[in-house]
């Protein structure tokens, strides 16, 4: 009864429910009735709006790199820190791995995304393949831009250092805050469906009648995970973006479990080994993640102790449990209702990257607190291991195919209807 005309726009989101897209006015967005994901959003200026935000964000990022970012004064000795100094200090401390992560996640990836948005929306003349590559990379990189998490890390390190001396912000601090806001806004104004239709308008090659309001796999169709084009399930190569994939991500559960087990194995030493070494006035203190939380709590910085506890201990642990639960449920376990599993999946996808906050706190502290004999902070090997745990669990969540959550509901409905039919 829902079968629409062949030129009607349809979407097949994460939950694999075929949805008809109504015509929208500017400022409106279409949401999936089953999983509540945004399917389409109409902006009044889909071309100029993201470009303006992206250009402003880039200008702010350049300004943020030119001037002092934060400063600290301890018993007469002052130190200023610029953003480019943070990785260079870590390199001199032989932590090039942390320096590269900082450069990549806080500066290079967000900047690259902004450049991609400008090139794609401004219709700069370039080959179709290059445009498709940029669009593909843009959405794949989105989760790896962590400028706003770094900013939260800076605020946490301020609270940590308040007990030791005077902390102040430099000229670059405000441009960096604006950069975080503007780059978020640029991403918000980009509609994936509009962008791909703009790169290469294409009508879905599915010719047989498909029923809106039913699962995609049962009808022999799938959506391209990159450009959202609806394809026959048997067709492995997308004709528009050339992404090669199957109806369901190949060995999704095996990959997720393998990465999950790797991250658990790394999480144990990450908690035992020191993440930060504080040296001052002849004493040397190795602090682990949990010791850092206890120290903050004892100092009376309860909110910050809670932030670090939630981000570094609760979130990674719960994320690992949630991923194992999702795999067990999708593999045929007796799970709870689908909406709740979808909600758990989205939480895992959203909060996972915020665990990086502790790594950024260490980056700021080791860059700023270098007062020679008086007090200096250096990163410990635990910080590298912890960063790896966060990155590997992010990959594990990305390998999980959320459509598996809904597949059993659809197959159940299918079975029920055939039984009724008999
Ligand atoms: Zn949905
Ligand atoms: Zn595609």
């Amino acid at each position: 009864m829902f079968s629409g005309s062949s030129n009607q726009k349809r979407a097949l989101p994460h939950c694999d429910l075929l949805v008809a897209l109504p015509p929208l006015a500017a400022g409106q967005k279409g949401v999936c009735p089953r999983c509540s994901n945004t399917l389409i959003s109409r902006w009044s200026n889909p071309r100029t709006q993201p470009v303006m935000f992206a250009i402003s964000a880039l200008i702010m990022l350049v300004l943020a790199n030119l001037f002092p970012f934060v400063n600290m004064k301890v018993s007469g000795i002052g130190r200023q820190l610029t953003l480019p100094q943070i990785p260079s200090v870590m390199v001199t401390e032989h932590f090039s791995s942390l320096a590269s992560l900082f450069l990549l996640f806080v500066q290079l990836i967000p900047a690259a995304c902004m450049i991609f948005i400008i090139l794609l929306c401004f219709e700069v003349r370039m080959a179709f393949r290059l445009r498709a590559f940029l669009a593909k990379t843009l959405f794949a990189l989105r989760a790896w831009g962590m400028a706003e998490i770094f900013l939260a890390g800076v605020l946490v390190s301020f609270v940590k250092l308040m007990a030791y001396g005077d902390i102040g912000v430099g000229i670059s601090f405000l441009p960096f805050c604006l950069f975080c806001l503007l780059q978020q806004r640029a991403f918000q104004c980009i509609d994936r469906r509009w962008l791909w239709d703009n790169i290469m308008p294409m009508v879905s090659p599915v010719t047989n009648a498909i029923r809106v309001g039913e699962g995609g796999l049962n009808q022999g169709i799938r959506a391209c995970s990159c450009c959202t084009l609806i394809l026959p399930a048997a067709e492995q190569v997308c004709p528009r973006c050339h992404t090669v994939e199957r109806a369901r991500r190949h060995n999704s559960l095996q990959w997720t479990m393998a990465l999950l087990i790797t991250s658990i194995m790394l999480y144990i030493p990450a908690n035992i080994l020191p993440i930060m070494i504080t040296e001052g006035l002849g004493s040397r203190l190795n602090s682990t993640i949990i010791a850092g939380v206890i120290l903050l709590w004892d100092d009376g910085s309860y909110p910050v102790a809670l932030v670090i506890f939630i981000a570094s201990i609760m979130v990674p642990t719960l994320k690992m449990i949630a991923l194992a639960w999702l795999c067990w449920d999708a593999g045929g376990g007796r799970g709870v209702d689908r909406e709740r599993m979808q909600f758990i999946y989205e939480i895992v996808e959203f909060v996972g990257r915020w665990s990086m906050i502790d790594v950024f706190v260490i980056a700021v502290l080791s860059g700023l607190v270098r007062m020679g004999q008086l007090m200096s902070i250096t990163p410990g090997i635990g910080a590298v291991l912890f960063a790896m745990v966060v990155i590997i669990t992010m990959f594990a969540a990305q390998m999980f195919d959320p459509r598996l959550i809904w597949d059993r509901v659809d197959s159940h409905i299918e079975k029920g209807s055939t039984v009724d039919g008999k």
Side-chain angles (χ1 to χ4, degrees):
M1 59 173 169
F2 284 109
S3 311
S5 61
S6 59
N7 56 11
Q8 188 180 18
K9 284 198 168 185
R10 298 190 190 92
L12 196 59
H14 276 346
C15 66
D16 208 37
L17 180 78
L18 190 70
V19 187
L21 297 173
L24 296 177
Q28 283 186 319
K29 63 176 186 175
V31 176
C32 173
R34 182 150 84 169
C35 66
S36 311
N37 271 307
T38 302
L39 303 176
I40 187 169
S41 41
R42 269 286 305 274
W43 296 91
S44 45
N45 291 311
R47 208 176 296 278
T48 44
Q49 235 173 350
V51 171
M52 284 306 143
F53 282 122
I55 291 175
S56 326
L58 281 178
I59 294 170
M60 289 302 144
L61 184 64
V62 172
L63 288 177
N65 274 288
L66 290 179
F67 306 103
F69 185 62
V70 284
N71 55 61
M72 186 185 180
K73 221 175 216 178
V74 184
S75 22
I77 306 174
R79 183 173 160 80
Q80 273 187 336
L81 186 70
T82 62
L83 275 181
Q85 272 175 336
I86 295 176
S88 65
V89 166
M90 283 191 280
V91 170
T92 53
E93 297 291 345
H94 308 291
F95 276 95
S96 314
S97 49
L98 286 180
S100 347
L101 289 184
F102 172 83
L103 270 180
L104 211 60
F105 293 157
V106 180
Q107 304 246 35
L108 297 180
I109 289 180
C113 286
M114 292 305 107
I115 294 170
F116 290 178
I117 288 178
I118 296 168
L119 292 176
L120 285 168
C121 291
F122 227 45
E123 301 232 329
V124 176
R125 271 175 175 270
M126 56 179 140
F128 162 74
R129 272 187 174 277
L130 184 61
R131 280 165 71 80
F133 171 77
L134 289 185
K136 235 179 191 178
T137 321
L138 175 68
F139 293 107
L141 284 183
R142 190 180 177 174
W144 300 96
M146 300 185 183
E148 68 279 14
I149 303 174
F150 170 71
L151 190 62
V154 173
L155 299 177
V156 168
S157 31
F158 278 4
V159 180
K160 274 195 165 190
L161 289 174
M162 261 182 213
Y164 301 102
D166 295 329
I167 314 293
V169 292
I171 303 169
S172 276
F173 191 76
L174 184 64
F176 190 78
C177 294
L178 290 172
F179 165 70
C180 292
L181 284 175
L182 289 165
Q183 57 119 15
Q184 283 290 326
R185 195 77 189 121
F187 261 120
Q188 271 179 356
C189 297
I190 287 265
D191 182 47
R192 189 190 286 232
R193 214 169 289 276
W194 173 84
L195 190 67
W196 275 105
D197 284 341
N198 193 36
I199 292 173
M200 191 184 187
M202 191 176 268
V203 178
S204 166
V206 176
T207 46
N208 50 326
I210 46 176
R211 297 173 301 278
V212 171
E214 282 184 31
L217 197 62
N218 288 336
Q219 308 187 49
I221 52 170
R222 69 174 182 95
C224 172
S225 67
C226 177
C227 72
T228 70
L229 190 68
I230 296 177
L231 304 167
E235 204 170 311
Q236 289 194 3
V237 185
C238 173
R240 179 153 70 175
C241 65
H242 305 293
T243 303
V244 182
E245 56 187 0
R246 304 185 183 194
R248 293 292 174 266
R249 207 166 287 156
H250 191 45
N251 290 337
S252 163
L253 297 182
Q254 287 89 332
W255 269 108
T256 311
M257 281 310 286
L259 290 167
L260 184 61
I261 293 167
T262 316
S263 65
I264 294 171
M265 282 177 353
L266 286 169
Y267 191 50
I268 299 163
N271 273 287
I272 298 170
L273 295 169
I275 53 162
M276 198 170 79
I277 298 147
T278 314
E279 280 173 291
L281 304 170
S283 71
R284 184 186 160 94
L285 178 72
N286 289 347
S287 50
T288 56
I289 297 173
I290 190 75
V293 174
I294 294 170
L295 193 71
L296 278 167
W297 190 266
D298 288 343
D299 283 349
S301 317
Y302 303 121
V304 181
L306 271 179
V307 167
I308 295 289
F309 177 76
I310 292 170
S312 306
I313 296 168
M314 226 171 88
V315 167
T317 317
L318 288 180
K319 189 177 171 180
M320 286 167 189
I321 295 170
L323 277 171
W325 190 10
L326 282 166
C327 286
W328 173 74
D329 177 75
R334 273 161 55 91
V336 284
D337 58 292
R338 305 295 92 199
E339 283 80 8
R340 194 173 299 172
M341 291 317 281
Q342 174 76 28
F343 180 69
I344 290 173
Y345 168 75
E346 268 159 30
I347 294 273
V348 166
E349 271 270 271
F350 176 75
V351 299
R353 45 207 281 280
W354 280 88
S355 299
M356 216 57 167
I357 193 168
D358 216 12
V359 177
F360 292 140
V361 169
I362 296 162
V364 176
L365 291 182
S366 58
L368 195 56
V369 187
R370 297 174 65 78
M371 314 283 180
Q373 291 290 307
L374 197 60
M375 187 182 174
S376 44
I377 291 177
T378 45
I381 189 73
V384 182
L385 293 172
F386 186 73
M388 282 169 71
V389 170
V390 180
I391 292 168
I392 293 171
T393 49
M394 279 177 74
F395 275 123
Q398 286 185 352
M399 286 313 290
F400 182 79
D401 192 333
R403 289 171 293 192
L404 295 174
I405 299 174
W406 298 89
D407 275 354
R408 280 190 306 140
V409 183
D410 292 336
S411 68
H412 194 70
I413 292 167
E414 187 83 332
K415 270 180 207 155
S417 61
T418 44
V419 168
D420 288 343
K422 280 173 189 171

